Amino acid sequence: MPALSEREVWQFCGDCHQSPDPQNFAKREWREEVAKGYGFYRASGRVDLKPPPQEAVVAYYIGLAPDEVELPSTGQVALNDAPSPIAFEATPLDVAEASPAAISRIEPDSSVPGRWWFSDMRGGQVWEFAGLNEPLRKRWTIPNPCGVCRMRLGPDGTPGYVAADLGSFRPEDHQRGGLWWIPDGPDAIPRRLVSGLGRVSHVTSADLDGDGDEDLVVSQFGWRRTGRLQVFWNDAPSGEWPHLRGAEIDPRHGALRAEIIDFDGDGRLEIVAAFAQEFESVEVYRIREDATFERFTLYRAPDPSWGTSDFALADIDADGMLDVVVCHGDSFDGGHLSPHQGITWLRQTRPMQVVERQLAAMPGVHRAVPADLDGDGDLDLAAVSLLPDQIFKGGRRPRLASVVWLEQQPDLKFVPHVLEWDTCHHATCAVGDADGDGALDILVGRISWSGADRTIGTIYRNRGPSAVSAP
């Protein structure tokens, strides 16, 4: 069989996404990766490409791949860990009954300071956390919750919450995802708002069309054939349920999260969204006068295996322009550590133009939240990691950071301070004053791999300057 050139491989393997880099998988892994890619192509229904012989593509990648993939020695959180100038005290968050909880999101309640919602996507519960002086409260039962959004629904502006529902704990292609509506009130019962969606991974709201009511942007991760980014306009006539009209923003699967904000400083709202799967991108959508959307690709990772897991928006360098903090840490497709995983800063230097810089290499990083944790006036980061349990049951592996805060320095470098090692069971985190002492704490969610457990999370309480910070 004649050998294939790089051009021949890339014409096929890079037609609908970035072409995979041979260096990102070990030789022994490429046969399965190539078979997976050919399977995706066949399932897509496309017939416009001429696939080269599959075995020839396997030979091309194996010929250029390393025997083993090594993590980089520079920038690793685990290798650059420094003593923390802030003392953090770990306090577990326990519930009354043990269960195999899987906390997918922790989100603050914009209507009640000091209250957060913990969504358990496996157990089907939304927990109310109102600070360490109050017990966790099981508030709502929803099949597979993945976040709660405060909004006013309908023409009369009824206040309440919208909850995202994955429709399944594990990734699948289906239409069982949806949205649930919970009006204000201590005894309110969730009611289906929208059904028949793919796996809904996030929901957020704002007045996108300027008509005085709030609309919804829904991220449907789906899986391989289902999923998209969608808007639900809040414009149905009075008395009509559910008061929403759906429209597509982006037809692609893999939508992780969307935020509605004036990203480029022009005085108008945009939608910023991150896509995983083979797209691995951050997109910005401008709203046209006819209520359609114009898409701008702000960033695309150089490889379809980059494992985008989440993002956050903040002005990291205090220059008056919003930046994007992107996490690349999803390891659940291949089940191994990847050399490119970490936290990337997309620094907006001009409107809609960013400069990419890796802030830290951190395998499995799933969420990084900007906040001034040390109170010195600049933004630091709190980050957590989630890795497949098989990585910890295998052979030799490096020590891995599972909870870390990264301290911003005057030169815009970030020094990592690891708070927890080798318990990479965290899909999400948040920052806020959880104990009422005025200092910012780190709220961490937990995914239980080993069966039922009463602990669904941990609060890392900020106790102020540590012994290492004393003069």
Side-chain angles (χ1 to χ4, degrees):
M1 181 184 302
L4 295 176
S5 68
E6 179 181 280
R7 182 173 178 272
E8 290 174 302
V9 172
W10 285 33
Q11 276 185 330
F12 176 65
C13 298
D15 182 77
C16 60
H17 54 71
Q18 301 285 77
S19 189
D21 185 342
Q23 296 295 310
N24 286 336
F25 294 95
K27 290 182 184 294
R28 65 178 181 278
E29 297 169 321
W30 270 113
R31 184 172 298 280
E32 180 181 347
E33 291 299 317
V34 171
K36 194 185 301 182
Y38 272 73
F40 291 155
Y41 177 71
R42 287 190 291 269
S44 72
R46 290 184 59 177
V47 295
D48 57 314
L49 298 178
K50 184 179 179 181
Q54 185 169 329
E55 279 301 311
V57 175
V58 171
Y60 169 83
Y61 278 105
I62 288 177
L64 296 173
D67 293 328
E68 297 291 338
V69 175
E70 300 291 338
L71 297 181
S73 58
T74 58
Q76 282 288 338
V77 164
L79 298 178
N80 294 279
D81 174 43
S84 175
I86 301 296
F88 284 93
E89 176 187 333
T91 302
L93 284 179
D94 291 342
V95 296
E97 297 180 6
S99 67
I103 302 301
S104 57
R105 297 208 184 274
I106 304 171
E107 292 174 312
D109 187 332
S110 60
S111 67
V112 182
R115 179 162 72 183
W116 290 267
W117 302 107
F118 283 62
S119 295
D120 178 1
M121 61 180 170
R122 179 193 277 143
Q125 303 295 333
V126 177
W127 295 88
E128 177 187 353
F129 174 67
L132 287 171
N133 295 324
E134 301 287 338
L136 278 162
R137 180 185 174 195
K138 187 186 295 185
R139 189 66 182 269
W140 305 308
T141 298
I142 289 166
N144 304 98
C146 197
V148 174
C149 168
R150 179 74 179 173
M151 79 168 296
R152 291 181 175 272
L153 179 67
D156 301 322
T158 304
Y161 302 89
V162 174
D165 181 7
L166 291 161
S168 65
F169 170 58
R170 297 192 179 279
E172 302 172 26
D173 282 315
H174 57 62
Q175 302 294 333
R176 299 194 301 273
L179 303 174
W180 293 76
W181 168 246
I182 310 104
D184 279 354
D187 301 316
I189 298 175
R191 176 183 179 183
R192 279 198 181 272
L193 183 63
V194 180
S195 59
L197 304 181
R199 299 176 77 244
V200 178
S201 56
H202 187 256
V203 59
T204 189
S205 69
D207 184 5
L208 281 169
D209 51 8
D211 65 352
D213 57 32
E214 294 177 66
D215 311 295
L216 291 172
V217 173
V218 179
S219 301
Q220 297 178 51
F221 183 89
W223 192 33
R224 293 175 174 171
R225 297 186 302 276
T226 56
R228 56 181 170 168
L229 186 65
Q230 196 169 8
V231 62
F232 284 89
W233 302 107
N234 189 2
D235 62 3
S238 180
E240 289 191 13
W241 181 262
H243 312 296
L244 300 174
R245 174 176 57 85
E248 187 172 84
I249 300 173
D250 195 313
R252 297 176 299 168
H253 59 276
L256 288 164
R257 172 192 290 269
E259 300 291 355
I260 305 169
I261 198 166
D262 178 10
F263 180 72
D264 58 4
D266 66 353
R268 298 178 297 175
L269 291 177
E270 287 91 30
I271 299 168
V272 184
F275 284 77
Q277 300 299 71
E278 68 268 34
F279 306 110
E280 308 295 343
S281 66
V282 177
E283 313 284 351
V284 179
Y285 303 86
R286 285 179 172 158
I287 308 163
R288 300 187 181 103
E289 291 185 2
D290 63 355
T292 60
F293 296 87
E294 181 180 11
R295 185 181 101 192
F296 297 84
T297 298
L298 194 69
Y299 166 81
R300 180 180 290 117
D303 189 276
S305 67
W306 229 240
T308 306
S309 45
D310 210 338
F311 79 95
L313 300 175
D315 184 4
I316 298 296
D317 54 358
D319 67 349
M321 304 186 75
L322 282 174
D323 308 307
V324 189
V325 177
V326 188
C327 295
H328 300 113
D330 184 359
S331 299
F332 284 82
D333 276 342
H336 57 258
L337 301 178
S338 298
H340 51 259
Q341 292 190 342
I343 303 169
T344 297
W345 175 17
L346 303 180
R347 184 180 184 181
Q348 190 173 196
T349 55
R350 293 182 179 180
M352 304 292 283
Q353 295 183 25
V354 297
V355 174
E356 172 190 358
R357 174 183 152 197
Q358 188 180 67
L359 295 182
M362 184 177 174
V365 63
H366 261 60
R367 179 88 174 132
V369 179
D372 185 7
L373 290 165
D374 54 6
D376 65 353
D378 58 25
L379 291 178
D380 312 297
L381 295 171
V384 295
S385 69
L386 176 68
L387 287 167
D389 205 34
Q390 67 201 62
I391 288 176
F392 295 89
K393 295 178 180 178
R396 182 178 62 89
R397 61 163 177 81
R399 197 180 190 198
L400 297 168
S402 45
V403 180
V404 62
W405 78 279
L406 295 106
E407 178 190 4
Q408 185 175 162
Q409 302 294 299
D411 59 0
L412 297 179
K413 292 182 180 178
F414 286 76
V415 176
H417 308 293
V418 179
L419 304 180
E420 180 190 77
W421 292 97
D422 291 326
T423 310
C424 303
H425 298 167
H426 315 300
T428 191
C429 65
V431 172
D433 183 6
D435 54 10
D437 66 354
L440 292 179
D441 310 303
I442 304 172
L443 296 75
V444 175
R446 185 170 186 269
I447 290 182
S448 176
W449 294 130
S450 55
D453 196 316
R454 289 182 57 209
T455 301
I456 67 168
T458 303
I459 306 298
Y460 286 86
R461 302 174 71 180
N462 186 334
R463 294 306 201 181
S466 67
V468 301
S469 67

